Structure formats: C-alpha cells, structure tokens
Amino acid sequence: MPKITVNVDGVAYTDEVEPRLLLVHYLRERAGKTGTPVGCDTTNCGACTVQLNGVSVKSCAMLAIQADGAEITTIEGLGNGGWHPLQRAFNEEHALQCGYCTPGMIMAAADLLRTNPHPTNDEIRQGLEGNLCRCTGYQNIVRAVRRASEAGAAT
Amino acid sequence: MIPAAFDYHRAATLDDAVSALAGGGEDAKVISGGQSLIPLLRLRLAFPSLLVDVGGLGDLRGVRDEGDSLVIGALTTHDEVTRDPLVAQHCGLLREAAETVADPAVRHRGTIGGSIAHADPAGDLPTVATALGATMIARGPGGERAIGAGDFFVDYLTTSLAPDEVLTGVRVPKLGAGWGYRYLKFNRTAQAWAVVGVAALVRRANGAVAEARIGLTNMGTKPVRADAAEAAAAGAAATGEALAAAGARADEGTDPPSDLHGAADYRRHLARVLTTRALVAAAGA
Amino acid sequence: MTAEAPAPQAELGRARTRKEDARLVTGQTNWTDNIVLPGMLHMAFARSPYAHARITSVDTSAARAMPGVIAVFSGADFPDQGSLPCAWPVTPDIVIPGHPPMATEEVRYVGEAVAVVVARDRYSAADAVSAVEVEYDPLPPVLDMRAALAEGSPKVHPAGNKSFTWEFSGGDVDAAFASAPVVIDRTFRQQRLIPSAMEPRAVVAAGAGDEYTVWSATQIPHILRLMLAMVTGTPEQSIRVIAPDVGGGFGSKLQVTAEEVISLLVTKKLGRPVKWTESRSEGNLTVHHGRDQWQHLRLAADRDGRVHALDVDLLADMGAYLMLVTPGVPLLGAFMFPGIYKLEAYRFACTGVFTTKMPTDAYRGAGRPEATFGIERMMDDLAAELGMDPLAVRERNWIRHEEFPFTTIAGLTYDSGNYEAATARARELFGYDTLRAEQQRRRESSDPVQVGIGVSTFTEMCGLAPSRVLGSLSYGAGGWESASVRMLPTGKVEVVTGSSAHGQGHETAWSQIAADKLGVPFEDVRVLHGDTQISPKGMDTYGSRSLTVGGIALNAACDKVVTKAKRIAAHMLEASENDIEFSAGRLQVRGDPEKGQTIQEIALATFAAHDLPDGMEPSLDSEATYDPDNFSFPHGTHLCAAEVDTETGRVTIRSYVAVDDVGKVVNPLIVDGQVHGGLAQGIAQALYEEAVYDDDGNLLTTTLADYLVPSAVDLPEFTTDRTETPATTNPLGVKGVGEAGTIASTPAVVNAVLDALRPLGVTDVPMPCSPENVWRAIHNAGGQGNGGAQ
C-alpha cells in the first residue's frame, strides 16, 4: 500500500493508505481529527473544509494520497492552542446552533479573510457560497465574519 | 459514500502519465484536482481501474504568453485563472466564467484542464472554450496534437481525447481592444450548475457590432455556439433593440435537455433572454 | 463610604453567549460518527432500487465472501425484527401496515432496506453491499395521491391506499357558504421536502452481557429507548440510549428508524459493537420527508372582507408506511387553519394516502406551516378579489388584543396576543407605504422587474402538549417534561433535563433559568441531557416544546429546591420558615438581613447533614415533571418584498421583516437565531426545495447538487424585531420559537411573488417558486414572460 506523509495541525504523520481513502476519512479515522465532519457526497455542503497548504479545500473531495507532502490545518489546529478570532466571533455573534457546519464554515471564512481582509456583507456571503448551514439562516455567520475581520483576523 | 477500489499512479513526467494511461487501457482515467471525478467516484457512478494523477506535473500549471494567444496549463486551477494578470488582461471572459465555477474551495482544487476534459455540457469553461474558439493541446504516445473546440467536445461527458491522451493546455486567443464580453450563468442557487449559461464576445466597430461569438451552456449534450444569433448580431447596431433581435435566435439549432433543473422550452426561452442580456453587456449597449 | 456594587444583571432576558460553543467551534465535538469502540464493526445497507416490487430471493453468499466482511443479514435472519412503530393512530379505523425494519416480502419505496452488511471497516462494508444479490419482481409504483385513491389503482398495501380520513367541524359551514357573497376556492400544493439536517444520521450500538447501549443522532433518546424495547422485545431497563452532540434535526431525527433497530439486533446477534453512518445521498432517500399535501380550501366572506367560514379538504401523502407520527402531522395543522381569525364556521377533513415513496413525518412546523400557508394565501387572495389591502383584510378579521383569551372555531383557547402591535411594528420597519408606491411605479412603467409585497400574520401552537389533549387525539404518549436540579456540596448546580438539545442551546438557556431561580452564577450551572442513564425521564425535543414545557419543569424543580432550602435555613437561623426570604441566592430572616445564609452554604450544610430539621432528608435535590394545561401561541407579522424578473422568472427577496411575539424571552441571541434559521427554511420551501420522484418512483433529488438547500448567497438579510405579550399559561410567560420563522415565512414569500404578478394575470405559482415555475405561470397567463420569444 502506498505511503504518505502529511503534517496535520503541526504534527507529522506517515501512514500507508489505500488509494481510494478520502482525505476526510484519513483525517478523522487515522489522524484522529474528528473535529472535521462529513456532510455530503458532492462537495456541496463544505462541512469538511480544511486548509491545505494554506488554502481552503473540501477534504471529502480529495484523496488522502493526493495530500502526500501537504500541510493541513483543521479546525482543531486553527487557533494554535487558543481560539482564533473567527472562533471567538462565531461564539460572540451566535453564528452556530447545532455546530455541524461550523468547522467548515470557519475554515472557509478564514480563507476568505486571507484573500479579502475586509469584505463587505455581500462578499462574505459569496465567500461562503460553498458552505451550507441549516440552522442559522447565515445572518449571524455574516456578522461573525465581519466582527472577526474588524478584529483583524486575517493578520 | 465511498469510492470503489482503484489503482493509483502518480505520474512523474508527462511521458510517464501517457504510458501509464496506455498501460491502463480503457478504464484508466486522469485525475488532477478531482473536483468533478471524486464526487462521481463517491456516488459510484464511475469505476476506473486506474487513476493516473498528473497533479504533480508543475509544467502543466500556469499561463504562458505566446504572442497572439495565451496557453493556460491544464493544471491551472480556477482560482489561479481568476487571479492571473495575463488572463485578466487578454481574456477577461475566461476570468469572469472561472469565478462562477462552484465555490472558492472547489476552485482551489479544480483545474481548467479537468473541467474541459470532463466535458459536462452544464460546465462553464467548456462553453467559454467553445465561444473563444480555443484550441485544446493534448499529448499522447504519438506526441502532441491540437484540437479545436468544435472537434474536441463530442457528446455528453465525451471528448475526442484518446484514452491514452492527456490534455496539457488550452490555447485561447488574446482578445484585442474593441472586444467586450460577458458570461451570464443562470443557476437556481449559488452553487448549482447552470440551468443555462451564455458566454458572449462582441467586437464593436463604429458603434455597431462587427463580430459576435456566443457559446451556450447546457443547451445540448455538449457546449454549442449560437450560430444564428451570432450571424444576426454581426453588423447589427449596438443597441438593446437590435441585439434583442439577435438574442431571440439564440436557441436556433440547439437541442436542450429537459431535466430536474429545467424543461427544454424554458431553457430555450432562457437562452434567448440571457443571450440578449449578455450581448448588450458585452457590446456596452 | 463604600461603593455600591452594581446590581447583578438579570439572567432572564440576557443575551448570554452559548456554553455549547466551546466544543463546537474548536472541533472537540462528540458526533455519533466520531465514536470508536474496541472491536467495532461497520454496517452498510443494501436497499431497494425499485419503488415497488416483490422480493423473490436474497442471496448474501457473494457478499459474505468479500474481504473484511463478517456477516450479511437479510430481514429473514431477524424473525424478531418487529415492526417500526406508529405512535399516532389518529382514527379507530386507521390502516397501519406492518413495517419491518428490513423488508422481507415486498419493497415499497426506493431505498427501503433489504439486507445489511457487517464488515471490519466502512469501505469493505460499502463494497460488499453491491455483492448482495436480490431478485425482484417489479410491481406498479403508486406515485400520485389522487390517482392512488381512484378505483382500480395499484395498491401499496393489500388493504388499499387510504390510511384514514380524519374530520372536524365547528359551526354551520354549509349555511355560511350558502349565504356568502364571496367564495374563494383554491387548491394548493405543499411540495415534498427533505429536512436536510447537516449531520447525516449515525448509530453505534454495543452490548455488555445483556445490557445494550445505543448512541444515535436522534432528537428523542427517551422515546427511542422505549420503542427499541417495544419493537425488539429487549427489556427496557437493559437499553441505554445516548444522543451525543446531534447536528440538527428539524423533525427528521424525531423518528425510530430501521437502522437504529437493526443496529441493536446486529450487535445482539454478533456480540460486537456496530456503527452505521449514512451518506447524504442515502439520507435523502431514507430520512423521512416532510409536507406533501394537496390542499383544497374554500373561504366564505362578505364584500367588506369579513370572513365567515373556512372549509379545508386535504390529501396528505403518508408515503409507503406510517412512521412515528406520520398520520398526526396534518392533524397538528387542523387546529391552525383558522389562524388568528374569528371564524364562525370551520370544517376540516384530511385523508392520509399511501404511495410508494419514502414515508413523510414531522418536519419543522409539522402541519402548522401547511395550515398557515393555506389560510394566509387565502387571506391575500381574498384581499385581491375585493381590491382591499391585505393588511386591512386581516385586521378586519383578527382577534383584537382585548378579546383574549379567545376560543377559536377549531376549539383552541388562545391565551394572549397582540396582533395589532406586531403588525404596526412590522409595517413601520418595512416601509410598507413606500414599497407600495414603488410597486405602483413599476407596474405603470411595465418594468420587467416587478415588485410584490407579501403578508403573513400568523400564529402557531407550541409547547406540545397537554397530555389530556394528546390522549383525546389518540396519540400514544403524554406531553409532559421532566427536570431535576442537583445542589452539589460546593454550591455548584447540575440541571438534568428530559428534553434533548441538538442545536437549540439548552445548556445555556437552562443555565440562565437555574441561575435566575437559585441565585447562583450562570457559570456554576451545568446542564445534562441526552442520555437515558443520566436523564432517565423525558419526552425530548420537538414541536417548540423545550422551553415552554421543559423550561417550566426546570422552573418548578428550582422552586422545590428553594422550598427545601428555606426549611433548612429556618432551622439553622432559628427562625420560622415563614420568615425566611429568598432573594438573589440568599436566604435571610425577614427584618433582619444580617441573619442569612447563601444557598451554597445551605447546600454544604445539607451535605454535611449535621443539623437538619427533624425528618428532613439530607438533600436539596428536586425533580419536577410539568404537564402544560394549554398550548402556547406565539404569533407575529412578517412582511416580504420580492422582486420578480418577469423575463427569467427569478425571484429575489429584497427585504424581509419579521416581528415575532414569543412572549418573554430567556435569551434574545438564541431567539433571534431560531427566527433566522426558521425563516431560511420557510423561504427555502417557498423558493428552492422540492423532493422530486420520477415516473418510476426514483428519487431524483438524492444529492445536495439536486436538492437545493440555499446558501448564504441565496438568502436575504433579515430584519427582526419582537413585541412581547407574555403567555399567561406558564409562570415564565414564554411561548416557544423553534418553528415560528418557518411557519410564517413560506406564505409571506409566495404572497409577495403573487402580489408582484397579479397584474399579469397570474393567480398561482406552485412551490417552489423557481424561475421556471414563475416563468411558466406568467407564460400561461399570457403575460410578459415570453420576453425574447418569437
């Protein structure tokens, strides 16, 4: 079986993987990163969004073997041991209810702020178009991303 | 869901990819970003025996200026296309359409080559390639060949690429001064596929339309050109009224599907309305 | 002089950020699919590809031989699999067909489970599913409710396609219609929806000896435990059900599913833990669907807009079987069709119809959205018919605030409400008159983009439910809720609740109630729920009942703690119990504030138990079970402005104002969040979502690429506000908020679309008001929708 080495949230892992193993299953079941959930089969929901080499990707639409050599950041590593400004803002603005979409939503928002540190509300909505939430109606998510951007989350 | 098992080969060079495909036979498939293929694998709608991963072939990534044209490496991601200064300067239509593909995370992985080789008639970039009259560059065991868009897209999810050929790049003409463009994607939700899309290019001269090129998304089993509308637009005044007359012929010769996202008659109607709007925008009318 | 300490902020009404979030925003969650147990096996189901077929053979041998496969079972391997429960036999003659968790003789919808593969890992399980060989003898599908009731239709079940007809009437309906100058007669379609909670279902089951634990992504751990015991014959005391973090429900996890039952049976049979996690496409097929009704409504009115009578005739698609509360869903609507209006006569009839589709059951609002859509559409249509303003028509008919309590023609007693206040506020926030003026301008200029204003003045019933009412409606259980409060020796508090949160914020709101009632810091309260061993008694979470029933139970349990504490304080302070005052966590002697003890001090003293009143147990802990006397009736006025591109048919919501009256508010952050999410789902029904089956009974909308759950781009910014008319039926004055947004918004949006299009001759657009449906309505009316056509 092919072997891959990946760095997940600052820790290097070397594992044998079946080629068809999805990255999200690798993260959840091999690296123990269960903070990243799976919500669909078709890249629509975005719950599984992580950062791969600094940009957002949907870890259910990638093979683990394709991540060989990559640096991956999940929701569990985003705050570097503390809370990232987005995590704080999601709490402060009540931007989550059941919380299932939240890891992906925050990772997508982090990517948005990376490329656009001070987005308008419309730009926030556009930036999160690949992440579905069934609880919040998105209103407080937009507020939270705004709040984080004002707090300088991108830096 | 979970893909069925397959073998996997990470290509070290382009030649390596071609020979792996040749050895893999009919059921070998190329993967790069995998944004179209992996969902199909997960839904068990595709069962390749071998995936040849060309994702590591850095030579296939990036945009080259070749005088009258740009060559966009097949591995250039949608996100890179939207940010590339050469594309912005010389082929704004492609940038505009690439921005509408899926969502930011998918655009980070999905590639122009993958999108075009997947040949989904609901895809945005095949339509743009068709409107631009792009040339697809492929490498096979016999070397490189160039395939015009009209010959490249054959049918639903079918191209004229041989099983052992790899799409390496897309050559698009530079749009000189005087060309305007607009890609209009009509979808029901932000992430949804186009019900209908229209890629319009208009060259204006002396207040009139000198030339128009129109590609249609999801109006048949492959991306199509709206020939009748193009002909009607050529020479027309750059006014809303004149362009509406051209747009009204957009669906001539098309054979749009009837499916969950739209019946054929509605698609025909949308093609007419959207073509008019796209022409007006492209002509600055 | 000492500076006076600032008065502590009241907990009730305070916008506390949520305690739950600490684990949810950091990924330290405990979803069912995260659970890994030693020796755990993975299950995957072979499912019917046919809408209707006889099973002629099931051969599992090839699948059994696949790598990693431990066992493969079909229904025949579980002679004790029982029948999935229906707890709501709405009429004495209702047909409730047997519903085996795995079909043995006949399959009746695409996706029905036929066999289960158990393997060492989920990939091997998925592979082996395709090796299960099932032979079918196809039977004709039954897909259309009306055709299903026609003579000669193929039958879903041997007893036929009708499950029940439930009827209700009040007043003289026939006389009212006979004398009415205006009759509005309409037929509306409530399309089938897929609830689409973000977390797919998952189950883990494990045994030790003859004791079993089932973890499930469920809204109803308590009901599930009872039903697993009844269905499988496993003694109830041997089953523990845990709902860990649950990623949304909206009714879809208010169910006892085939997969849960089979998980328990397989773990019993194999003696090893098993896990099953569905994929989204599997879930779209097999998580119960919602809505799906034909509504025939007639409204009798005067020319001045006064409404006299309403006649409602429903066909409700049950799907292939009756699940937990399938037949009861339309009944919940039966009481809400009269809405906020004073009708003199009302008749309701509903026939439940079997089809070869996934069963329907509760989805956010469950019956009330359908009813509210019906009446609010009719009120707008009446206004249009009479050339009146739609708000004026409503005002002419609604219950005035001084008329409460008011018993409606449907027999419900609305305790309180102020429709005038909510409407006035909504009108002001919306800029109603300005928008009407713009609408007029666009009409006059034949603008291709027309604008419409939609009104929804709704009420709904929450707080399911008074047990005696449920009994009178033949429901199989009660509607009480339980709570207990444990005072720990350190003065910290554990609250145990029988309602089972899955996003609603119980841990925060219940902490606020306990902190307020006991005078302890918010941070000192921990809320426990969702585990039948920790919270042994409960009726779980659905029907906007948590706060209005469970919250009141907690309130009562806190009162009992205080009563006990007073007795102990009196003893310790050598005062009469009647002289002990309790305020802000301190028990003190009236008139002698120096003499007092904090509740924490009392808790420690009670734990030590060195000196308690004679005969008093050494415990402050208390439990209360609350059974409401009446429902609660939140209401509100929602106004929607929609732009309709008459050339493409696209609808864009330009502004949406929701003024809700949910009574007293415990946590405004949570309330606003519930409203936002509710609006999103109601708007999604109006504009985007529909579960579509083809002519063979295959579901076409199996993925989120085809079933269009809206994203942030597809929804507007909402303007929300509240009026506050406290409920008089419970001590907290609360009414419930979980479903209000969904119930109110669907008709507001569709009314806006129709308001935009009436001048073009359009009288109806079927939901969802997709661009194509809107265009077709315009086109068929001969309006402008043909723009660009030759």
Side-chain angles (χ1 to χ4, degrees):
Chain A
M1 223 181 273
K3 197 175 264 190
I4 61 167
T5 297
V6 290
N7 185 302
V8 184
D9 294 336
V11 177
Y13 298 80
T14 299
D15 281 298
E16 290 188 337
V17 296
E18 203 184 352
R20 63 170 165 162
L21 180 67
L22 299 171
L23 177 60
V24 71
H25 286 149
Y26 175 81
L27 292 173
R28 289 178 55 77
E29 293 170 9
R30 303 288 286 279
K33 294 287 181 177
T34 51
T36 301
V38 187
C40 77
D41 310 315
T42 48
T43 78
N44 290 91
C45 85
C48 66
T49 305
V50 298
Q51 281 175 7
L52 182 100
N53 297 331
V55 303
S56 61
V57 301
K58 295 182 171 177
S59 61
C60 79
M62 187 166 173
L63 305 172
I65 199 168
Q66 293 183 294
D68 188 20
E71 287 210 8
I72 294 166
T73 304
T74 77
I75 188 70
E76 296 171 61
L78 183 69
N80 263 326
W83 279 25
H84 185 276
L86 274 163
Q87 289 170 314
R88 230 177 356 256
F90 267 60
N91 170 244
E92 287 160 347
E93 293 290 354
H94 187 37
L96 63 150
Q97 290 175 30
C98 84
Y100 199 80
C101 76
T102 307
M105 201 63 83
I106 288 178
M107 298 310 286
D111 190 73
L112 169 69
L113 296 183
R114 173 182 66 81
T115 54
N116 183 358
H118 297 288
T120 64
N121 282 2
D122 278 351
E123 287 168 342
I124 293 170
R125 287 177 182 270
Q126 290 289 344
L128 300 178
E129 67 180 327
N131 293 73
L132 298 177
C133 169
R134 195 58 159 169
C135 294
T136 64
Y138 304 101
Q139 183 130 328
N140 288 347
I141 292 175
V142 174
R143 285 181 186 160
V145 176
R146 248 195 116 62
R147 184 181 188 126
S149 88
E150 283 157 10
T155 54
Chain B
M1 284 174 77
I2 288 155
F6 47 77
D7 290 328
Y8 174 88
H9 178 78
R10 181 180 294 136
T13 63
L14 189 51
D15 288 339
D16 177 31
V18 169
S19 66
L21 283 172
E26 289 282 324
D27 294 329
K29 266 194 105 56
V30 175
I31 186 168
S32 53
Q35 299 302 286
S36 298
L37 183 57
I38 291 176
L40 292 180
L41 297 175
R42 293 184 67 195
L43 295 169
R44 297 203 174 202
L45 295 172
F47 296 89
S49 56
L50 170 69
L51 288 187
V52 176
D53 190 344
V54 297
L57 305 182
D59 291 353
L60 303 189
R61 195 161 176 167
V63 180
R64 272 201 321 274
D65 189 332
E66 297 204 342
D68 290 344
S69 61
L70 299 178
V71 174
I72 299 156
L75 293 191
T76 312
T77 65
H78 304 309
D79 183 66
E80 288 162 349
V81 168
T82 63
R83 296 175 197 287
D84 187 87
L86 287 170
V87 171
Q89 189 183 346
H90 300 295
C91 199
L93 176 67
L94 180 59
R95 182 189 51 77
E96 197 168 275
E99 277 178 349
T100 73
V101 174
D103 59 71
V106 168
R107 293 197 289 272
H108 286 144
R109 291 286 301 160
T111 64
I112 185 170
S115 173
I116 285 176
H118 187 55
D120 190 330
D124 306 296
L125 300 191
T127 301
V128 169
T130 300
L132 286 167
T135 303
M136 272 42 86
I137 306 164
R139 173 79 78 87
E144 191 169 281
R145 70 177 174 125
I147 313 163
D151 297 323
F152 184 82
F153 299 107
V154 174
D155 204 347
Y156 182 72
L157 304 185
T158 307
T159 70
S160 56
L161 285 174
D164 54 3
E165 274 185 316
V166 178
L167 179 66
T168 60
V170 181
R171 182 187 301 276
V172 295
K174 284 185 181 173
L175 299 172
W179 282 94
Y181 57 84
R182 178 56 47 92
Y183 184 68
L184 284 183
K185 178 175 187 168
F186 192 89
N187 51 10
R188 287 194 50 206
T189 54
Q191 281 188 89
W193 295 90
V195 180
V196 171
V198 177
L201 288 160
V202 170
R203 184 164 59 80
R204 267 182 74 157
N206 306 322
V209 172
E211 186 183 354
R213 308 170 68 94
I214 302 162
L216 301 176
T217 305
N218 225 352
M219 287 295 288
T221 57
K222 59 179 182 176
V224 292
R225 288 278 284 270
D227 299 322
E230 287 183 5
T239 64
E241 203 174 321
L243 294 173
R249 302 188 61 184
D251 62 314
E252 280 183 27
T254 64
D255 186 15
S258 278
D259 60 25
L260 189 61
H261 303 296
D265 64 334
Y266 178 60
R267 283 200 160 97
R268 286 179 178 280
H269 167 79
L270 268 186
R272 297 190 292 261
V273 172
L274 298 175
T275 297
T276 300
R277 291 181 182 182
L279 284 172
V280 166
Chain C
M1 294 256 313
T2 51
E4 214 167 305
Q9 200 179 339
E11 279 298 336
L12 296 184
R14 184 166 177 183
R16 283 279 190 188
T17 59
R18 296 197 319 170
K19 292 184 168 183
E20 292 84 343
D21 295 358
R23 63 182 187 276
L24 295 171
V25 299
T26 55
Q28 296 172 315
T29 32
N30 189 25
W31 312 115
T32 301
D33 186 52
N34 295 5
I35 295 168
V36 176
L37 299 174
M40 187 175 78
L41 302 172
H42 295 259
M43 305 200 317
F45 285 88
R47 300 184 178 278
S48 170
Y50 290 99
H52 196 192
R54 198 166 291 114
I55 300 170
T56 55
S57 75
V58 182
D59 182 353
T60 59
S61 55
R64 241 180 258 272
M66 299 274 287
V69 173
I70 303 293
V72 184
F73 302 114
S74 68
D77 295 311
F78 293 112
D80 58 344
Q81 67 170 330
S83 183
L84 294 174
C86 172
W88 205 336
V90 294
T91 60
D93 61 349
I94 185 173
V95 175
I96 303 183
H99 187 186
M102 284 199 291
T104 50
E105 291 167 12
E106 211 168 296
V107 287
R108 295 185 175 87
Y109 63 93
V110 171
E112 188 166 359
V114 177
V116 62
V117 170
V118 191
R120 291 178 62 185
D121 64 277
R122 67 170 92 210
Y123 281 54
S124 304
D127 290 344
V129 163
S130 16
V132 175
E133 287 166 21
V134 185
E135 283 178 26
Y136 297 95
D137 188 2
L139 296 167
V142 179
L143 301 168
D144 178 275
M145 278 187 272
R146 292 158 164 175
L149 292 178
E151 194 77 18
S153 164
K155 290 178 178 177
V156 181
H157 296 282
N161 297 336
K162 180 180 143 180
S163 175
F164 66 89
T165 296
W166 191 91
E167 292 169 309
F168 173 91
S169 74
D172 192 340
V173 175
D174 292 331
F177 275 93
S179 62
V182 180
V183 173
I184 307 287
D185 188 321
R186 295 283 186 273
T187 299
F188 301 133
R189 174 91 176 114
Q190 284 282 329
Q191 80 271 37
R192 182 177 272 253
L193 299 178
I194 300 177
S196 305
M198 289 316 300
E199 182 203 21
R201 289 178 301 161
V203 192
V204 172
D210 59 0
E211 293 177 5
Y212 301 96
T213 304
V214 176
W215 291 261
S216 182
T218 180
Q219 296 174 227
I220 52 162
H222 299 91
I223 295 170
L224 178 59
R225 179 197 195 202
L226 170 65
M227 291 298 176
L228 284 174
M230 291 173 73
V231 170
T232 67
T234 310
E236 190 178 352
Q237 74 278 16
S238 301
I239 303 174
R240 174 185 184 185
V241 174
I242 300 173
D245 284 332
V246 175
F250 316 110
S252 72
K253 293 170 181 170
L254 163 54
Q255 194 54 271
V256 176
T257 66
E259 293 83 1
E260 289 164 328
V261 171
I262 297 298
S263 297
L264 176 60
L265 293 176
V266 170
T267 202
K268 285 175 98 168
K269 207 175 195 82
L270 296 179
R272 290 184 59 180
V274 295
K275 179 196 274 189
W276 170 75
T277 303
E278 78 183 353
S279 66
R280 175 64 55 185
S281 42
E282 190 178 24
N284 277 16
L285 277 174
T286 62
V287 174
H288 72 241
H289 294 172
R291 315 283 191 261
D292 207 343
Q293 296 181 353
W294 278 109
Q295 308 179 310
H296 180 207
L297 280 76
R298 293 191 310 135
L299 189 78
D302 287 339
R303 294 231 148 262
D304 66 357
R306 179 83 185 93
V307 174
H308 295 286
L310 179 68
D311 187 3
V312 177
D313 195 358
L314 301 185
L315 292 183
D317 193 337
M318 304 285 100
Y321 301 96
L322 303 185
M323 296 193 72
L324 193 62
V325 297
T326 302
V329 169
L331 264 65
L332 291 172
F335 300 97
M336 296 320 301
F337 270 98
I340 63 170
Y341 310 112
K342 294 179 283 190
L343 302 180
E344 292 142 33
Y346 170 53
R347 180 162 58 207
F348 174 94
C350 173
T351 297
V353 185
F354 291 115
T355 59
T356 52
K357 297 181 189 173
M358 181 64 209
T360 56
D361 208 312
Y363 170 53
R364 201 168 192 172
R368 291 105 83 209
E370 296 92 315
T372 303
F373 180 87
I375 185 64
E376 290 303 295
R377 281 285 314 268
M378 293 300 272
M379 294 306 278
D380 255 39
D381 279 12
L382 175 64
E385 171 81 18
L386 300 175
M388 289 178 67
D389 181 280
L391 283 171
V393 168
R394 287 168 169 85
E395 188 169 4
R396 180 148 302 170
N397 290 285
W398 71 39
I399 303 158
R400 295 193 311 273
H401 70 273
E402 68 272 16
E403 291 176 313
F404 290 95
F406 185 92
T407 300
T408 72
I409 192 70
L412 293 175
T413 300
Y414 297 176
D415 62 300
S416 64
N418 191 334
Y419 309 139
E420 299 93 324
T423 303
R425 182 70 184 131
R427 208 182 157 116
E428 178 190 337
L429 287 169
F430 188 68
Y432 189 82
D433 298 326
T434 312
L435 273 161
R436 283 277 179 228
E438 179 187 337
Q439 176 181 51
Q440 197 51 38
R441 282 198 304 279
R442 287 191 190 234
R443 283 179 177 174
E444 284 161 6
S445 66
S446 294
D447 195 315
V449 177
Q450 289 290 309
V451 73
I453 295 171
V455 176
S456 174
T457 52
F458 78 103
T459 187
E460 59 131 339
M461 56 200 257
C462 292
L464 299 176
S467 296
R468 61 184 166 74
V469 174
L470 291 177
S472 72
L473 294 173
S474 313
Y475 182 62
W480 46 263
E481 193 48 86
S482 157
S484 50
V485 176
R486 302 202 283 249
M487 291 298 302
L488 304 177
T490 53
K492 312 292 185 191
V493 179
E494 282 178 340
V495 166
V496 179
T497 175
S499 72
S500 188
H502 42 283
Q504 294 86 352
H506 289 36
E507 292 167 36
T508 304
W510 273 220
S511 293
Q512 289 180 264
I513 294 171
D516 178 83
K517 293 291 294 189
L518 300 173
V520 300
F522 170 78
E523 294 76 15
D524 284 0
V525 185
R526 170 114 193 267
V527 178
L528 305 172
H529 62 87
D531 179 341
T532 59
Q533 194 155 298
I534 289 169
S535 150
K537 206 166 135 186
M539 278 293 179
D540 306 317
T541 288
Y542 44 85
S544 304
R545 68 188 304 275
S546 289
L547 181 59
T548 48
V549 190
I552 306 307
L554 173 57
N555 190 64
C558 291
D559 283 342
K560 290 184 181 179
V561 171
V562 171
T563 301
K564 289 183 189 177
K566 276 186 176 171
R567 200 173 152 202
I568 294 169
H571 179 75
M572 289 170 71
L573 299 169
E574 297 175 335
S576 154
E577 209 177 314
N578 291 332
D579 288 337
I580 301 293
E581 292 175 327
F582 178 67
S583 167
R586 192 175 148 87
L587 298 107
Q588 61 198 28
V589 180
R590 183 173 294 122
D592 188 1
E594 295 297 308
K595 261 180 102 178
Q597 295 259 315
T598 66
I599 196 160
Q600 290 91 343
E601 288 166 337
I602 304 268
L604 185 60
T606 307
F607 171 73
H610 296 164
D611 183 19
L612 296 179
D614 287 344
M616 176 132 197
E617 288 180 25
S619 172
L620 294 176
D621 298 355
S622 299
E623 181 182 337
T625 303
Y626 175 71
D627 197 339
D629 291 330
N630 190 3
F631 298 94
S632 57
F633 300 97
H635 69 82
T637 296
H638 289 210
L639 298 173
C640 174
E643 290 182 359
V644 183
D645 180 337
T646 57
E647 291 179 348
T648 63
R650 186 188 291 286
V651 175
T652 307
I653 294 178
R654 193 162 91 188
S655 63
Y656 194 102
V657 170
V659 175
D660 282 275
D661 194 323
V662 298
K664 286 282 185 188
V665 167
V666 172
N667 184 325
L669 266 188
I670 290 177
V671 164
D672 286 348
Q674 287 289 323
V675 171
H676 296 160
L679 293 177
Q681 285 182 25
I683 292 170
Q685 175 173 13
L687 296 183
Y688 300 115
E689 297 179 13
E690 181 174 21
V692 180
Y693 284 87
D694 71 11
D695 293 343
D696 296 322
N698 298 303
L699 184 70
L700 298 179
T701 50
T702 54
T703 70
L704 289 171
D706 293 317
Y707 188 81
L708 300 179
V709 170
S711 75
V713 178
D714 309 304
L715 291 168
E717 187 83 12
F718 310 118
T719 302
T720 59
D721 200 0
R722 285 188 298 276
T723 54
E724 188 176 297
T725 312
T728 62
T729 49
N730 67 64
L732 293 180
V734 297
K735 299 183 186 171
V737 68
E739 295 156 297
T742 304
I743 291 166
S745 57
T746 310
V749 175
V750 176
N751 280 340
V753 173
L754 290 170
D755 186 54
L757 299 180
R758 273 200 192 87
L760 304 182
V762 173
T763 55
D764 191 24
V765 177
M767 290 193 292
C769 296
S770 64
E772 181 173 5
N773 283 346
V774 170
W775 170 76
R776 212 168 282 290
I778 298 170
H779 187 70
N780 291 343
Q784 296 176 350
N786 210 20
Q790 293 299 289

